[in-house]
């Protein structure tokens, strides 16, 4: 018998994943039945099972007494007890299906929901659950499963937002190791990752664990550095976890406990709680499903007090709404012509069992239609709007954020999927987010474990007796930054003092010991040191470690404690005044262009003034001198010649402005050269180095080599590694001609220390990168953030500067003055000015020539007759002669000729008139 029963179960479970086609309707019922059977599976011994049973029965009674729904058809519910057993729950589900139930409500646990969903899918019976919150139940694998509460996906999103709001980065997850716990914590991990946080440790507890089992798990948790604990379990077992945590002193100051909605359920149902129970919850943050306050809810709460002594939980409200949801769906189902009919499952033919009557299991023919009606329901219930999304989730997921304090809870805010954390209640009716001010974002103040209002740091250094292994580069040069004593082996230097001072500011003890990294023969690679952290060799790294892009991919860094971008250092010489110092303000090209423009402008003005201004007339030799004198005298505004033409005045006015700018720039530059400039170098910066082929020095094992190759395309054959400051000095003094380098590229911190006692070198050009040095820690280490805060405190108090002056301040070259050469003024700075001046001169000439040619063609015949010249002598020669003449003479001669021509025409006209009169008289006489 037992063997047959086992084989029956195996075959049955295999066939539960079969096809979803509708069976053949064996009966035809055209009217609404008098009674509709539904079934439910609960755990009677659990507090949720107890109150849910009462709520379901109350809902059935209210539906059956309401004449506005189902038109007289009554609902009959059969409730089975799973007794915390998955096996018994499955058997109950099979027994329920023997009663031809059209819907199944429950079970409480997600574990059992996964199993029963296969039965519901095979028999096409809608399966509604108000307690199974496992997010994976929403998958396409379970088409007949309908969750009538909110998925844990949203609850975990709310917790992730809380963690981010309080700026914690790591949490420890404590959970029951079953489908409910595992899948919920997986969702939490995804939500945290989306917000830049993570679960640093998972602490699973086996189902039905004893307090001894729980203690073993929590002892391991207590050794972890994170103090933010998220507890995701069941209401009946959560209190056992808290009791064990209290015995391990894990409820004291410094801990953060965040419980999912199981804790608020315990408080609601069991209120008032015993004092010893409420004591272990002090300072906890928990979530509770948000339900809209309405007359319907208040009425039910009043009736609830008459039904039981248990408190009213949100699970009661969701259980009540589930029955009404099903009633509305059935009402629509019958309105659409649906019938309650069943058919046999052909897959069960041939299966025999002594304990199960498999032939009594039938497929609900209208299951698919009823399922669609359930998903299409839109009504208002005790919990608010009952409506499903396309993913079969209830709309408007929202939670209250509660803080357990005193003998109850205090509401510190809300969370919803469209507004996040807020102190304003979410609007569960309107789709649009409520209008909030920035003041409403976030949460109210919290009383944390230990009765403190100060936000816990969220982590502590593990109290397991182990010390941090901190790698320190064993440098052979620039040991002012980090070095090791040959006698005692103690580490010293600027970086070591900064780290020690920052650690002393931390509000907790950090045991550590330094470990040297390097062979002591040459400087070690800091990039390799950072990789040692990733490999787990070191817990941190302290030293002259530049924060670069590649290194940040391997580790987290503290706030920079010194700025140190890349600079170019090269030999310089004093730029003393010389005989030709007055020529240095302008570049050679600038001098040439300026001289050309002086001559051009003078020539243009001469052309414009020559015909009308006596000061610009005379013998050719005199005119050349006049042009040159006028041009260069404008430099000092001492020209004697006046301009008479409009075009000439316009050109001169603009030119005087250009001269003013050139004169002022020259004066300022010359003053700077003679009084400020001290040093000179042919190298101007990184751009000058790129333009040459000379070798460039860099500090050995520095990131500078790869940076220059990758970012600036400098060939690696040009890069010369140097180790000691003495090597820097020799290579720079020798220069490229003697096997040295033209310049050295290194970080500013090293260069400034190098230059402090070597005045013959200097930084040239500008700093071409911006970075700093920081302490390296493993990824997501909370110590990095705390050390950053400590470094900022050192900076604010001036201690960081004091440490800097102690190790790095040198004054040997402090009197040498400015270390940067004053650049010559290039033509580029005046290009626009010269372009405008040249354009104005060109336009003035075009206008002048146009007017002159027009005048020439107008006066050319008169000019030819008066001079007796023949046009055959050449129009160009005639035009040149015309242009050379003074304009007043040309105009006077033209006017005189015009008068003579007019007189000649009058005489001719008089003679003609006289001849006409004579002819007329002769004609009359002849007649």
């Amino acid at each position: 018998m037992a063997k047959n029963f086992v084989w029956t179960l195996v075959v049955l479970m295999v066939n539960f994943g079969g096809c979803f086609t509708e069976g053949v309707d064996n009966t035809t019922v055209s009217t609404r039945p008098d009674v509709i059977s539904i079934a439910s599976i609960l755990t009677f011994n659990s507090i949720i099972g107890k109150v849910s049973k009462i709520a379901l029965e109350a809902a059935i009674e209210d539906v059956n007494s309401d004449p506005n729904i189902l038109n007289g058809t009554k609902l009959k519910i059969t409730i089975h007890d799973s007794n915390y057993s998955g096996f018994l729950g499955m058997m109950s589900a099979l027994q329920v299906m023997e009663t031809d139930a059209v819907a199944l409500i429950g079970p409480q646990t997600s574990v059992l929901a996964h199993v029963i969903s296969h039965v519901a899918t095979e028999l096409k019976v809608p399966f509604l659950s108000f307690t199974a919150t496992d997010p994976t139940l929403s998958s396409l694998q379970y088409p007949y499963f309908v969750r009538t509460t909110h998925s844990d996906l949203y609850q975990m999103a709310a917790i992730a937002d809380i963690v981010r709001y309080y700026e914690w980065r790591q949490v420890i997850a404590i959970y029951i190791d079953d489908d409910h716990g595992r899948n919920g914590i997986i969702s939490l991990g995804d939500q945290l990752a989306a917000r830049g946080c993570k679960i640093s440790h998972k602490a699973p507890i086996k189902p039905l664990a004893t307090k001894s089992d729980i203690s073993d798990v929590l002892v391991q948790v207590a050794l972890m550095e994170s103090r933010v604990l998220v507890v995701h379990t069941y209401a009946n077992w959560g209190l056992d976890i808290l009791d064990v945590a209290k015995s391990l002193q894990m409820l004291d100051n410094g801990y953060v406990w965040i419980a999912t909605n199981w804790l608020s359920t315990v408080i609601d149902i069991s209120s008032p709680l015993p004092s010893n129970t409420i004591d272990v919850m002090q300072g906890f943050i928990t979530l509770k499903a948000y339900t809209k306050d309405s007359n319907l809810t208040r009425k039910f709460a009043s009736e609830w007090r008459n039904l039981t002594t248990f408190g009213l939980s949100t699970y009661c409200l969701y259980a009540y709404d589930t029955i009404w949801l099903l009633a509305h769906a059935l009402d629509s189902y019958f309105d659409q012509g649906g019938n309650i009919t069943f058919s046999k499952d052909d897959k069960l033919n041939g299966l025999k069992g002594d304990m199960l009557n498999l032939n009594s299991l039938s497929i609900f023919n209208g299951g698919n239609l009823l399922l669609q009606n359930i998903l299409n329901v839109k009504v208002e219930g005790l919990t608010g709007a009952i409506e499903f999304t396309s993913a079969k989730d209830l709309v408007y997921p929202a939670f209250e954020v509660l803080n357990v304090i005193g003998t109850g809870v205090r509401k510190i805010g809300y969370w919803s999927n469209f507004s996040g954390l807020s102190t304003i209640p979410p609007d569960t009716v309107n789709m649009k987010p409520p209008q909030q001010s920035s003041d409403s974002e976030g949460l109210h103040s919290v009383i944390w474990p230990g009765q403190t209002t100060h936000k816990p740091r969220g982590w502590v250094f593990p109290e397991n007796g182990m010390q941090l292994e901190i790698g320190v580069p064993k440098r052979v040069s620039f040991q002012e930054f980090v070095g090791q004593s040959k006698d005692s082996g103690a580490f010293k230097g600027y970086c070591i003092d900064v780290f020690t001072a920052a650690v002393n500011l931390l509000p907790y003890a950090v045991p550590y010991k330094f470990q040297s990294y390097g062979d002591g023969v040459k400087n070690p690679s800091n990039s390799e040191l950072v990789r040692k952290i990733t490999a787990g060799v070191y817990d941190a790294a302290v030293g002259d470690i530049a924060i670069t892009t590649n290194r940040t991919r391997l580790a987290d860094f503290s706030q920079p404690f010194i700025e140190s971008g890349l600079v170019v250092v090269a030999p310089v010489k004093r730029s003393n005044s010389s005989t030709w110092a007055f020529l240095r303000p302008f570049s050679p090209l600038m001098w040439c262009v300026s001289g050309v423009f002086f001559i051009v402008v003078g020539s243009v003005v001469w052309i414009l003034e020559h015909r009308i201004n006596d000061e610009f007339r005379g013998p050719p030799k005199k005119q050349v001198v006049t042009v040159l004198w006028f041009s260069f005298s404008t430099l000092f505004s001492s020209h004697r010649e006046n301009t008479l033409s409009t075009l000439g005045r316009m050109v001169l006015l603009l030119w005087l402005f250009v001269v003013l700018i050139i004169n002022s720039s020259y004066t300022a530059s010359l003053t700077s050269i003679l009084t400020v400039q001290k040093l000179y170098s042919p190298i101007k910066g990184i751009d000058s180095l790129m333009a040459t082929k000379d070798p460039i020095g860099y500090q050995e094992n520095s990131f500078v080599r790869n940076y220059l190759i990758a970012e600036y395309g400098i060939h690696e054959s040009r890069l010369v590694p140097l180790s000691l400051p003495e090597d820097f000095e020799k290579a720079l003094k020798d220069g490229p001609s003697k096997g040295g380098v033209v310049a050295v590229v290194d970080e500013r911190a090293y260069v400034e220390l190098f230059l402090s006692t070597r005045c013959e070198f200097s930084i040239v050009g500008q700093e071409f990168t911006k970075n700093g040095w920081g302490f390296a820690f493993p990824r997501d280490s909370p110590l990095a953030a705390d050390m950053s805060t400590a470094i900022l405190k050192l900076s604010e108090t001036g201690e960081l500067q004091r440490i800097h002056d102690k190790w790095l301040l040198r004054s040997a070259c402090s009197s040498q003055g400015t270390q940067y050469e004053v650049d010559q003024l290039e033509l580029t700075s005046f290009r626009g000015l010269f372009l405008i001046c040249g354009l104005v001169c060109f336009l003035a000439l075009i206008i002048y020539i146009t007017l002159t040619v027009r005048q020439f063609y107008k006066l050319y015949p008169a000019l030819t007759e008066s001079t007796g010249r023949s046009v055959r002598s050449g129009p160009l020669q005639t035009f040149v002669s015309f242009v050379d003449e003074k304009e007043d003479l040309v105009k006077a001669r033209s006017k005189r000729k015009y008068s003579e021509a007019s007189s000649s025409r009058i005489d001719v006209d008089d003679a003609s008139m006289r001849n006409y009169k004579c002819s007329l008289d002769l004609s009359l006489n002849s007649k």
Side-chain angles (χ1 to χ4, degrees):
M1 180 181 298
K3 183 177 180 180
N4 291 337
F5 172 71
V6 171
W7 278 106
T8 299
L9 279 182
V10 171
V11 175
L12 181 62
M13 293 305 297
V14 169
N15 282 278
F16 279 161
C19 65
F20 305 104
T21 57
E22 300 289 347
V24 179
D25 192 355
N26 292 338
T27 59
T28 56
V29 181
S30 59
T31 60
R32 296 189 180 214
D34 295 332
V35 178
I36 300 176
S37 295
I38 59 177
S40 176
I41 301 176
L42 300 174
T43 304
F44 292 167
N45 289 336
S46 68
I47 57 175
I48 295 178
K50 292 176 182 178
V51 296
S52 297
K53 182 175 182 295
I54 298 172
L56 291 175
E57 292 173 345
I60 291 292
E61 182 178 351
D62 289 346
V63 168
N64 290 338
S65 61
D66 191 337
N68 296 321
I69 194 167
L70 292 178
N71 292 332
T73 299
K74 304 298 182 182
L75 295 180
K76 176 184 177 182
I77 187 169
T78 303
I79 302 177
H80 295 259
D81 183 11
S82 66
N83 196 24
Y84 290 111
S85 171
F87 175 75
L88 294 179
M90 182 182 66
M91 297 301 298
S92 297
L94 295 176
Q95 292 176 2
V96 164
M97 296 311 171
E98 294 178 352
T99 63
D100 290 341
V102 299
L104 178 62
I105 298 176
Q108 287 176 226
T109 65
S110 298
V111 177
L112 193 54
H114 277 279
V115 177
I116 297 179
S117 291
H118 292 286
V119 180
T121 300
E122 178 65 22
L123 301 181
K124 299 186 180 352
V125 176
F127 175 26
L128 294 77
S129 179
F130 55 89
T131 53
T133 54
D134 177 4
T136 63
L137 286 168
S138 300
S139 66
L140 298 177
Q141 184 182 4
Y142 309 110
Y144 279 82
F145 175 82
V146 179
R147 182 185 287 110
T148 58
T149 186
H150 296 300
S151 167
D152 278 340
L153 175 67
Y154 301 106
Q155 184 173 203
M156 298 308 173
I159 292 176
D161 277 346
I162 293 173
V163 172
R164 182 181 61 177
Y165 174 74
Y166 288 111
E167 299 178 340
W168 299 313
R169 297 185 63 184
Q170 297 182 13
V171 303
I172 292 178
I174 303 172
Y175 59 97
I176 296 297
D177 193 14
D178 60 9
D179 291 340
H180 170 73
R182 283 192 304 271
N183 294 331
I185 294 303
I186 290 174
S187 295
L188 174 62
D190 293 340
Q191 296 296 328
L192 287 171
R195 293 158 176 80
C197 308
K198 72 173 187 177
I199 298 176
S200 61
H201 177 71
K202 293 181 179 181
I205 299 174
K206 67 180 181 180
L208 301 177
T210 63
K211 286 191 175 182
S212 177
D213 298 329
I214 297 174
S215 179
D216 293 340
V217 173
L218 294 188
V219 165
Q220 296 298 320
V221 171
L223 297 177
M224 302 295 171
E225 62 183 18
S226 178
R227 286 295 183 262
V228 182
L229 312 179
V230 177
V231 184
H232 183 49
T233 181
Y234 298 107
N236 284 57
W237 300 332
L239 295 179
D240 291 339
I241 296 176
L242 302 191
D243 287 337
V244 174
K246 182 179 181 181
S247 66
L248 296 176
Q249 298 182 349
M250 296 176 65
L251 304 179
D252 298 336
N253 188 11
Y255 279 91
V256 177
W257 287 85
I258 302 175
T260 51
N261 59 353
W262 67 265
L263 184 58
S264 62
T265 301
V266 171
I267 296 173
D268 287 341
I269 296 177
S270 304
S271 182
L273 289 169
S275 58
N276 61 333
T277 302
I278 198 69
D279 285 345
V280 299
M281 306 178 185
Q282 295 298 304
F284 274 51
I285 291 179
T286 185
L287 299 179
K288 177 181 178 180
Y290 174 78
T291 56
K292 183 180 179 182
D293 187 23
S294 63
N295 293 331
L296 187 62
T297 306
R298 288 191 291 270
K299 178 183 177 182
F300 181 77
S302 177
E303 296 175 352
W304 182 261
R305 288 190 290 270
N306 298 325
L307 295 175
T308 179
T309 58
F310 289 112
L312 182 61
S313 166
T314 54
Y315 283 112
C316 306
L317 304 181
Y318 281 111
Y320 186 89
D321 282 351
T322 300
I323 295 295
W324 277 92
L325 165 67
L326 181 58
H328 282 286
L330 285 169
D331 203 24
S332 300
Y333 174 79
F334 290 127
D335 289 342
Q336 296 173 13
N339 296 316
I340 307 299
T341 60
F342 296 86
S343 60
K344 298 301 180 180
D345 189 351
D346 294 336
K347 297 177 184 178
L348 300 180
N349 293 335
L351 294 179
K352 297 181 180 180
D354 296 333
M355 296 182 63
L356 280 175
N357 183 11
L358 298 179
N359 292 328
S360 63
L361 298 177
S362 302
I363 295 176
F364 178 31
N365 296 326
N368 187 55
L369 179 60
L370 179 58
L371 175 65
Q372 298 306 315
N373 279 282
I374 290 173
L375 297 177
N376 292 332
V377 168
K378 295 181 181 181
V379 296
E380 282 291 319
L382 298 181
T383 57
I386 302 176
E387 182 181 346
F388 292 96
T389 67
S390 59
K392 298 197 302 184
D393 288 329
L394 282 179
V395 295
Y396 316 126
F399 292 89
E400 298 176 1
V401 184
L402 307 176
N403 180 208
V404 182
I405 187 67
T407 58
V409 295
R410 184 170 64 95
K411 193 179 299 179
I412 60 173
Y414 304 89
W415 180 92
S416 69
N417 67 327
F418 52 81
S419 63
L421 294 174
S422 173
T423 56
I424 296 178
D427 185 357
T428 58
V429 175
N430 298 323
M431 287 292 292
K432 295 182 179 180
Q435 298 297 322
Q436 303 181 33
S437 65
S438 58
D439 296 336
S440 68
E441 298 175 357
L443 299 171
H444 293 301
S445 60
V446 176
I447 306 298
W448 303 99
Q451 301 297 312
T452 178
T453 58
H454 181 69
K455 184 196 77 173
R457 185 174 57 253
W459 81 285
V460 295
F461 191 79
E463 299 178 358
N464 53 10
M466 296 179 61
Q467 293 180 320
L468 284 178
E469 298 283 344
I470 299 180
V472 180
K474 191 174 183 179
R475 294 192 58 87
V476 297
S477 64
F478 298 109
Q479 294 192 6
E480 292 86 349
F481 293 107
V482 57
Q484 188 175 14
S485 174
K486 295 181 178 179
D487 299 330
S488 63
F491 288 91
K492 60 182 181 179
Y494 171 72
C495 300
I496 300 300
D497 281 6
V498 172
F499 177 80
T500 303
V503 168
N504 291 336
L505 290 178
L506 296 178
Y508 50 89
V510 178
Y512 64 89
K513 60 180 178 180
F514 293 128
Q515 298 287 347
S516 64
Y517 173 73
D519 55 12
V521 177
K522 60 181 181 180
N523 292 327
S525 170
N526 285 335
S527 296
E528 292 300 324
L529 176 58
V530 174
R531 289 190 180 93
K532 294 290 185 180
I533 299 176
T534 305
V537 177
Y538 298 120
D539 298 311
V542 172
D544 52 336
I545 305 173
I547 304 174
T548 64
T549 303
N550 291 334
R551 292 174 183 174
T552 56
R553 296 190 181 104
L554 302 174
D556 283 349
F557 284 84
S558 67
Q559 171 80 16
F561 54 85
I562 189 172
E563 293 185 359
S564 184
L566 292 181
V567 294
V568 177
V569 60
V572 293
K573 60 182 179 179
R574 291 186 177 274
S575 181
N576 298 322
S577 298
S578 63
T579 304
W580 305 102
F582 67 91
L583 295 176
R584 286 168 53 194
F586 288 162
S587 65
L589 181 60
M590 179 67 184
W591 279 116
C592 294
V593 173
S594 299
V596 170
F597 260 84
F598 272 104
I599 297 175
V600 169
V601 172
S603 301
V604 170
V605 173
W606 179 84
I607 293 173
L608 298 176
E609 297 289 325
H610 176 68
R611 300 187 65 211
I612 62 175
N613 195 334
D614 290 337
E615 295 181 354
F616 289 89
R617 298 185 62 81
K621 182 178 180 180
K622 177 185 177 182
Q623 295 306 302
V624 172
V625 174
T626 299
V627 170
L628 294 177
W629 164 255
F630 178 83
S631 299
F632 290 99
S633 63
T634 56
L635 183 62
F636 311 101
S637 299
S638 60
H639 53 284
R640 299 190 304 264
E641 296 78 9
N642 294 321
T643 53
L644 301 179
S645 67
T646 302
L647 293 175
R649 290 174 177 176
M650 180 181 67
V651 171
L652 181 60
L653 181 62
L654 178 61
W655 176 244
L656 289 177
F657 175 74
V658 174
V659 169
L660 175 64
I661 299 299
I662 294 176
N663 197 0
S664 301
S665 302
Y666 176 85
T667 303
S669 181
L670 181 62
T671 302
S672 177
I673 289 173
L674 297 179
T675 60
V676 178
Q677 181 182 354
K678 299 297 180 182
L679 303 175
Y680 169 78
S681 172
I683 301 299
K684 309 301 181 185
I686 186 64
D687 293 333
S688 297
L689 291 180
M690 293 176 61
T692 67
K693 300 297 183 182
D694 296 325
I696 303 171
Y698 69 94
Q699 189 173 173
E700 188 177 22
N701 281 332
S702 170
F703 73 93
V704 174
R705 179 182 183 276
N706 293 334
Y707 182 83
L708 293 178
I709 294 174
E711 299 297 330
Y712 287 92
I714 297 176
H715 197 274
E716 59 182 348
S717 61
R718 294 181 57 195
L719 300 177
V720 179
L722 304 171
S723 181
L724 301 174
E726 292 75 14
D727 299 334
F728 285 25
E729 182 177 6
K730 183 178 184 302
L732 289 171
K733 285 183 177 180
D734 291 345
S737 60
K738 297 182 180 180
V741 297
V742 67
V744 171
V745 177
D746 207 351
E747 297 180 71
R748 176 179 285 276
Y750 300 122
V751 169
E752 288 180 346
L753 188 60
F754 170 77
L755 296 177
S756 62
T757 56
R758 296 171 177 86
C759 304
E760 66 272 26
F761 309 110
S762 178
I763 296 174
V764 294
Q766 300 296 320
E767 189 176 55
F768 58 94
T769 65
K770 285 289 186 181
N771 55 28
W773 293 356
F775 305 129
F777 299 92
R779 297 302 299 268
D780 301 322
S781 172
L783 189 58
D786 288 350
M787 286 294 288
S788 296
T789 303
I791 291 172
L792 290 176
K793 289 181 181 179
L794 291 176
S795 178
E796 293 170 356
T797 59
E799 181 66 15
L800 192 62
Q801 184 62 42
R802 189 196 66 79
I803 299 174
H804 178 277
D805 295 344
K806 171 186 174 183
W807 289 100
L808 307 179
L809 184 61
R810 302 289 185 272
S811 58
C813 296
S814 59
S815 61
Q816 72 180 30
T818 303
Q819 295 186 350
Y820 298 102
E821 176 197 359
V822 178
D823 292 335
Q824 289 181 324
L825 295 175
E826 299 288 344
L827 177 62
T828 305
S829 303
F830 303 91
R831 184 182 301 167
L833 202 59
F834 283 130
L835 181 63
I836 294 174
C837 182
L839 182 62
V840 170
C841 291
F842 178 75
L843 292 177
L845 285 176
I846 293 298
I847 295 173
Y848 173 78
I849 293 173
T850 302
L851 294 176
T852 303
V853 169
R854 180 183 176 188
Q855 186 182 36
F856 172 74
Y857 278 109
K858 183 178 180 181
L859 300 177
Y860 180 78
L863 178 62
T864 304
E865 293 178 6
S866 63
T867 59
R869 298 171 183 165
S870 174
V871 294
R872 295 175 184 175
S873 61
L876 180 60
Q877 182 179 357
T878 305
F879 179 73
V880 171
S881 300
F882 170 76
V883 171
D884 187 55
E885 284 191 287
K886 192 172 182 180
E887 188 173 359
D888 292 343
L889 295 177
V890 174
K891 289 182 178 180
R893 184 166 53 252
S894 175
K895 184 176 181 181
R896 184 173 59 253
K897 184 62 180 177
Y898 178 76
S899 300
E900 293 175 354
S902 298
S903 299
S904 298
R905 286 195 297 270
I906 293 173
D907 294 340
V908 172
D909 291 342
D910 291 342
S912 298
M913 183 59 69
R914 286 193 299 271
N915 292 335
Y916 175 73
K917 289 181 178 181
C918 291
S919 299
L920 184 61
D921 292 340
L922 291 174
S923 175
L924 293 173
N925 293 331
S926 63
K927 291 181 178 182

